[in-house]
Amino acid sequence: MDLRDDARELQPDLVHLRRELHRLPEVGLDLPRTQETVLRELDGLGMEISTGSAATSVTAVLRGPATTAARRTVLLRGDMDGLPVVEETGTDYAARNGAMHACGHDLHTTMLVGAARLLSTHRDKLHGDVVLMFQPGEEGWDGAGVMLDEGVLEAAGRPVDAAYALHVFSGLIPQGQFVSRPGTILSASDSLKVTVRGSGGHGSSPHLAVDPVPAISAMVTALQTMVTREFDVFDPVVVTVGSLHAGTRRNVIPETATFEATVRTFSPVSRERVMRSAPRVLHGIAAAHGVEVEVDYVGEYPLTTTDADETAHVSRTVGEVFGDERYRTLENPFGGSEDFSRVLGSVPGGFVGLGAVPTGADPATAAFNHSPHARYDDAVLPDGAALYAELALRRLAQGTRTAL
């Protein structure tokens, strides 16, 4: 049985599906056309299929022939949503609806459909059940949390024993290279929203007003100083202010000023500490400037932490199927965040990166994920589908975790 050869035979169909999905990206938790396409592709594969009520998710369970009480269950996740980005790749299959699959989720969905076909063909080799998790709303909507609340981890009638997700990269990682690491692989992500209130006035007479602009400027700078002075450089904290607004005209002192920031941390200790430190710093600056401040600090996605044994399973599988040169252990985590962290917080599993840099492009300079210029090479689709399927087949064959 060579799933990789079988996956190569699927390549024309996979490319067609990926480009169909790419042309019509949908954003958030409501992806009706994407859901309809996935359901069409799964039809006839002999799976138990259910859809979500709080989101347009698809859960498919493929059952192997084993009837023992000790049968195991593996979950494979593929996210489906796009981003509110206007595409500028210039491809003949580029989206033209104001959204874009700028993070490669169209490839993830296609690869998981490919894995479904491969596993269905080789159902007789399954020593247990496979749950296919087609998830909307990864891009800031916590679609994984929604699907967990709706019972995706018990979809097979018993708890999932191991879970895996794959993510493509349009830069940094060479085409066809698989990467992962045990432990923390992606940062936690939190949101910081700040509103500063003063009193408006004429720009010529700032002494007659209470200007929020100098205060908010000091806050932005002080957050960077907080990072370098209160946190260990070897346990990074990243605070990035991505939105800053104040005023309407150059000669008017505004009543309010606002900013929003994303906060990334790589350990539970630093995450909890920055949740305390940032509001303290901001309130202190507000007091010094005589303004009021409202601080809204919201925890979003936790750390994405892989299981050491399951990551070893990933590296072994890649080595045996594709060759040892196709796998690399990451030295450091990525700064991005993922709601697959919700799954890995409940189930041991792995998270795998796959380079999908276009042929001939330099990974160091290629447009990265979320860019309107990000491009992904369809050549990686068969290998992604094969890896999904191999991870499930081999993990089920190992049985209990003590066999790892």
Side-chain angles (χ1 to χ4, degrees), residues 275-288:
M275 285 181 177
R276 298 191 303 270
S277 294
R280 170 180 55 79
V281 168
L282 297 170
H283 282 289
I285 293 173

Side-chain angles (χ1 to χ4, degrees), residues 108-179:
H108 304 164
T109 302
T110 300
M111 291 170 178
L112 195 54
V113 167
R117 294 187 186 182
L118 295 172
L119 292 168
S120 179
T121 300
H122 297 282
R123 182 196 299 265
D124 60 320
K125 305 297 192 302
L126 286 175
H127 294 273
D129 305 326
V130 181
V131 177
L132 304 176
M133 177 182 176
F134 291 91
Q135 179 209 312
E138 188 278 329
E139 297 288 358
W141 300 83
D142 200 9
V146 172
M147 292 190 72
L148 262 64
D149 288 343
E150 293 191 341
V152 68
L153 297 183
E154 294 79 35
R158 70 187 64 80
V160 168
D161 295 284
Y164 306 98
L166 188 152
H167 203 300
V168 294
F169 290 86
S170 62
L172 293 184
I173 303 171
Q175 185 193 106
Q177 180 91 68
F178 294 99
V179 299

Side-chain angles (χ1 to χ4, degrees), residues 315-358:
S315 64
R316 266 196 317 272
T317 300
V318 172
E320 291 172 4
V321 175
F322 303 101
D324 291 336
E325 73 282 357
R326 293 282 301 276
Y327 182 84
R328 176 168 61 90
T329 298
L330 293 170
E331 182 178 355
N332 298 307
F334 289 116
S337 304
E338 252 281 358
D339 64 357
F340 190 64
S341 56
R342 306 285 191 202
V343 176
L344 294 182
S346 301
V347 178
F351 186 86
V352 189
L354 171 59
V357 179

Side-chain angles (χ1 to χ4, degrees), residues 9 40 65 70 88 90 92-94 97-98 108 112 124 140 147 169 177 179 193 228 230 248 283 292 313 354 383:
E9 292 181 5
R40 181 196 73 204
E88 298 181 14
D92 59 3
Y93 54 90
N97 65 347
H108 304 164
L112 195 54
D124 60 320
M147 292 190 72
F169 290 86
Q177 180 91 68
V179 299
K193 298 180 180 180
T228 62
E230 295 192 27
T248 56
H283 282 289
E292 297 179 356
H313 172 58
L354 171 59
D383 283 357

Side-chain angles (χ1 to χ4, degrees), residues 17-255:
L17 173 58
R18 183 258 162 158
R19 296 186 179 191
E20 177 184 353
L21 293 168
H22 191 88
R23 287 187 183 96
L24 291 170
E26 297 173 294
V27 177
L29 294 170
D30 187 25
L31 320 177
R33 294 182 67 117
T34 305
Q35 183 190 58
E36 180 183 354
T37 301
V38 169
L39 292 172
R40 181 196 73 204
E41 294 294 319
L42 298 180
D43 187 42
L45 296 183
M47 297 183 169
E48 300 169 12
I49 296 176
S50 59
T51 57
S53 57
T56 52
S57 60
V58 177
T59 301
V61 180
L62 179 64
R63 299 195 183 276
T67 57
T68 62
R71 65 189 294 126
R72 301 291 162 181
T73 303
V74 168
L75 180 144
L76 304 174
R77 194 287 300 263
D79 39 4
M80 304 188 294
D81 56 320
L83 285 157
V85 172
V86 177
E87 182 163 357
E88 298 181 14
T89 62
T91 64
D92 59 3
Y93 54 90
R96 294 176 173 83
N97 65 347
M100 179 185 175
H101 272 297
C103 205
H105 295 186
D106 50 336
L107 282 83
H108 304 164
T109 302
T110 300
M111 291 170 178
L112 195 54
V113 167
R117 294 187 186 182
L118 295 172
L119 292 168
S120 179
T121 300
H122 297 282
R123 182 196 299 265
D124 60 320
K125 305 297 192 302
L126 286 175
H127 294 273
D129 305 326
V130 181
V131 177
L132 304 176
M133 177 182 176
F134 291 91
Q135 179 209 312
E138 188 278 329
E139 297 288 358
W141 300 83
D142 200 9
V146 172
M147 292 190 72
L148 262 64
D149 288 343
E150 293 191 341
V152 68
L153 297 183
E154 294 79 35
R158 70 187 64 80
V160 168
D161 295 284
Y164 306 98
L166 188 152
H167 203 300
V168 294
F169 290 86
S170 62
L172 293 184
I173 303 171
Q175 185 193 106
Q177 180 91 68
F178 294 99
V179 299
S180 192
R181 73 190 306 270
T184 299
I185 189 168
L186 296 170
S187 72
S189 173
D190 299 316
S191 166
L192 176 61
K193 298 180 180 180
V194 177
T195 301
V196 177
R197 294 186 174 87
S199 61
H202 198 289
S204 66
S205 305
H207 62 290
L208 300 178
V210 180
D211 193 344
V213 174
I216 205 165
S217 301
M219 290 175 183
V220 171
T221 302
L223 287 174
Q224 306 309 313
T225 304
M226 175 198 74
V227 167
T228 62
R229 294 298 179 267
E230 295 192 27
F231 293 88
D232 187 340
V233 67
F234 297 107
D235 185 8
V237 172
V238 179
V239 180
T240 300
V241 175
S243 174
L244 177 62
H245 298 276
T248 56
R249 292 181 62 86
R250 61 183 174 83
N251 64 342
V252 177
I253 294 174
E255 292 276 342

